[in-house]
Amino acid sequence: MLGWALTFLVIALIAAALGFGGLAGTAASVAKILFIVFLVLFVIGLVMGRRGPTV
C-alpha cells in the first residue's frame, strides 16, 4: 500500500512539473488517501501484535 502511495506521489510530481494541474491534484489526493489507509492499518497491526497459535 505504501508503494502505491509513493507511485501516485511520483506521478503527481511529474504531472505538476509538466503543467498538468488537474492530474497532479488528483494523483496527490489519491496518494494522501492511500498513505492514511496505510498508517491506519500499520497502527492496527502494531496494536494487535502477533498472536501465537491457539491451542
Side-chain angles (χ1 to χ4, degrees):
M1 179 113 16
L2 187 58
W4 281 101
L6 291 174
T7 301
F8 276 103
L9 178 64
V10 169
I11 291 172
L13 291 173
I14 292 171
L18 295 176
F20 298 106
L23 180 65
T26 303
S29 297
V30 171
K32 187 166 74 169
I33 290 169
L34 286 174
F35 185 70
I36 290 170
V37 170
F38 165 76
L39 283 180
V40 168
L41 292 176
F42 180 72
V43 169
I44 290 172
L46 284 178
V47 170
M48 298 297 279
R50 284 198 167 202
R51 296 178 184 216
T54 56
V55 177

